[in-house]
Amino acid sequence: MGSLALSRVEVLDQPAPSIAGEVARIAREQLAPLAAGIDDGSVYPAEVLRAFGAVGAWGSHMPLEGPADLRCAIESMAAIGEVCGATAFMAWCQNTLVWYAANSTNLKLARRFGDAFSTGRVLGGTGLSNPMKSFFGIEKLKLKGKKVEGGYIVRGALPWVSNLGPDHYFGTIFEREDDQGTVMFLADCSDPAITLTPCKPFLAMDGTGTYGVQFRDVFVPDELILADPAAPFVKKIRAGFILLQAGMALGVIRDCINIMDEVDSPLGHINRYLPQQPVHFRELAAELEAETMALARDPYNEEETYWRKVIALRLRAGEAGVAAAHAAMLHCGARGYLKSHRAQRRLREAYFVAIVTPATKQLRKMLADA
Ligand SMILES: Cc1cc2nc3c(=O)[nH]c(=O)nc-3n(C[C@H](O)[C@H](O)[C@H](O)COP(=O)(O)OP(=O)(O)OC[C@H]3O[C@@H](n4cnc5c(N)ncnc54)[C@H](O)[C@@H]3O)c2cc1C
């Protein structure tokens, strides 16, 4: 009896598992066995994405009567990224979709989709690469919309949108044909006028449900409009959009440090001649994490200095990921050159973090123009 009472007290004394802790557990138990299949494109991990949603991974960054805090979402994505970079990217897609719906002033839309997206019951992503490039003068908008009674007719094509499937949604932007600005909306992949075409195989990320998306005169009703006009909305959500990407980078860097540590015992005597050691990346990761978490507390900050810090952090995170993965390859030697070793997967994933919008070159342009 006494020992039973004691064990109950012990159980009650345990701190409640944090969302990021639960996400890390699911990543280790359910995601790790799938990582190789996701990497080679034979698996799209819908069930694991839903399991992450069920423990709160996609809901923690929703604004609560004003402010929003992205720290838990980023920490959870880092835990996923430590196991699988492709799934960390899908996590970012889902979190970004939630971010759009939660910030929309279209309350009907927020009510209809808020819970569905944040619990992972409905999955999806974001097609904002082309708009983000167009807003910074890199390319023209690829989708055009015509105002009609009760909505818009949208046509055009986006070359790559991830975390999609036949019943998924994603947020994107079209330009009005009457030159009255841009509109952000939710695209419903089950609409027969929307076609998803599988992409040619990538270097990595093939299991991310990435498709070319064609809009053939799609009717987008007012109920699916996220923001009209889009410009002020984009200004509101853009720091969150970029900061959430830090989770992917932190996860990849952490596992690259793990990889270097794992080969220390057999190869440390020779690896010590390499200029970059795990200790350097531990310091770098801690610094990036501290900066990320400080910025992530305040994603609606409108100051230019804040925005510049967000861009600079994102640039450093992408570059640090590639550097850590490069170092992990050199530390592993022939072991990491085997297809079956995850070091080469980490390198391919790290390059993706550096090229996904805003890519390294765009970030450098943004800093140069700011
Ligand atoms: C695996 C993968 C997943 C992605 N997922 C998403 C997503 O979910 N949402 C999203 O909005 N964007 C997505 N993207 C796009 C991504 O964010 C970047 O926009 C893209 O990698 C190019 O960025 P960049 O700035 O380097 O542009 P650049 O590569 O310098 O230029 C891009 C432009 O060049 C043209 N182009 C170049 N190569 C090709 C090609 N092979 N086919 C067609 N056009 C081409 C297109 O006009 C394109 O807009 C994805 C890309 C990849 C590779």
Side-chain angles (χ1 to χ4, degrees):
M1 183 69 191
S3 70
L4 183 67
L6 184 64
S7 63
R8 251 185 82 77
V9 170
E10 279 170 352
V11 168
L12 290 174
D13 270 356
Q14 304 275 328
S18 67
I19 290 176
E22 280 296 279
V23 167
R25 181 184 60 73
I26 294 169
R28 279 192 308 273
E29 292 172 5
Q30 297 179 38
L31 181 61
L34 302 180
I38 296 168
D39 184 49
D40 72 23
S42 55
V43 176
Y44 167 69
E47 287 318 308
V48 184
L49 292 174
R50 293 209 167 87
F52 287 136
V55 297
W58 317 141
S60 70
H61 59 308
M62 290 164 84
L64 285 175
E65 288 165 15
D69 187 335
L70 311 182
R71 288 177 296 171
C72 172
I74 294 172
E75 190 47 54
S76 300
M77 273 186 281
I80 295 170
E82 203 169 335
V83 172
C84 174
T87 307
F89 175 53
M90 289 182 267
W92 174 79
C93 296
Q94 184 73 21
N95 273 327
T96 307
L97 179 68
V98 171
W99 186 234
Y100 299 158
N103 282 293
S104 176
T105 49
N106 182 346
L107 297 180
K108 257 186 167 168
L109 178 148
R111 262 197 303 275
R112 176 169 162 206
F113 292 103
D115 272 4
F117 295 159
S118 67
T119 58
R121 189 156 47 76
V122 176
L123 298 174
T126 163
L128 239 51
S129 287
N130 162 249
M132 284 288 180
K133 279 183 271 191
S134 91
F135 293 144
F136 294 94
I138 303 172
E139 63 186 32
K140 292 200 159 59
L141 275 169
K142 293 178 190 288
L143 299 182
K144 309 282 174 211
K146 190 165 90 184
K147 185 86 193 89
V148 292
E149 180 69 32
Y152 289 90
I153 300 285
V154 177
R155 62 189 171 83
L158 299 172
W160 316 276
V161 186
S162 303
N163 204 32
L164 297 190
D167 53 357
H168 293 41
Y169 284 80
F170 67 98
T172 188
I173 290 179
F174 62 78
E175 184 173 44
R176 286 179 59 153
E177 285 182 357
D178 56 8
D179 287 335
Q180 295 296 306
T182 54
V183 178
M184 186 151 171
F185 69 104
L186 281 180
D188 173 359
C189 295
S190 70
D191 189 315
I194 291 182
T195 320
L196 304 186
T197 309
C199 299
K200 284 187 194 160
F202 295 113
L203 194 67
M205 308 284 144
D206 272 333
T208 56
T210 301
Y211 296 88
V213 185
Q214 186 153 23
F215 293 75
R216 296 170 197 271
D217 290 333
V218 178
F219 175 64
V220 176
D222 290 338
E223 295 85 69
L224 292 183
I225 300 295
L226 282 160
D228 185 358
F233 184 76
V234 170
K235 205 156 184 198
K236 185 171 184 195
I237 55 96
R238 65 183 187 179
F241 174 96
I242 292 179
L243 278 172
L244 288 164
Q245 294 179 335
M248 298 191 274
L250 288 171
V252 170
I253 295 168
R254 281 184 201 163
D255 194 40
C256 291
I257 297 169
N258 297 339
I259 290 170
M260 287 184 256
D261 286 343
E262 283 165 22
V263 294
D264 184 54
S265 167
L267 300 173
H269 63 287
I270 180 68
N271 281 351
R272 70 195 175 91
Y273 290 96
L274 289 167
Q276 291 187 305
Q277 295 295 322
V279 63
H280 300 130
F281 289 104
R282 269 192 196 93
E283 282 166 13
L284 181 56
E287 206 185 301
L288 287 173
E289 188 173 346
E291 173 79 356
T292 304
M293 293 305 166
L295 295 170
R297 300 172 78 121
D298 193 17
Y300 299 134
N301 190 321
E302 290 178 0
E303 288 169 21
E304 276 307 308
T305 49
Y306 173 84
W307 175 233
R308 234 188 122 78
K309 281 185 194 167
V310 169
I311 302 167
L313 170 86
R314 169 68 180 90
L315 176 63
R316 285 189 74 206
E319 291 183 338
V322 174
H326 172 70
M329 284 297 293
L330 296 187
H331 277 249
C332 281
R335 286 170 171 79
Y337 208 69
L338 291 174
K339 268 200 172 162
S340 55
H341 197 287
R342 70 189 196 284
Q344 50 77 28
R345 167 163 66 85
R346 289 330 201 152
L347 187 66
R348 293 182 282 107
E349 291 172 353
Y351 274 124
F352 181 73
V353 179
I355 67 133
V356 71
T357 294
T360 302
K361 55 192 177 183
Q362 174 169 353
L363 292 161
R364 289 190 172 277
K365 178 183 191 304
M366 287 159 79
L367 284 176
D369 294 349

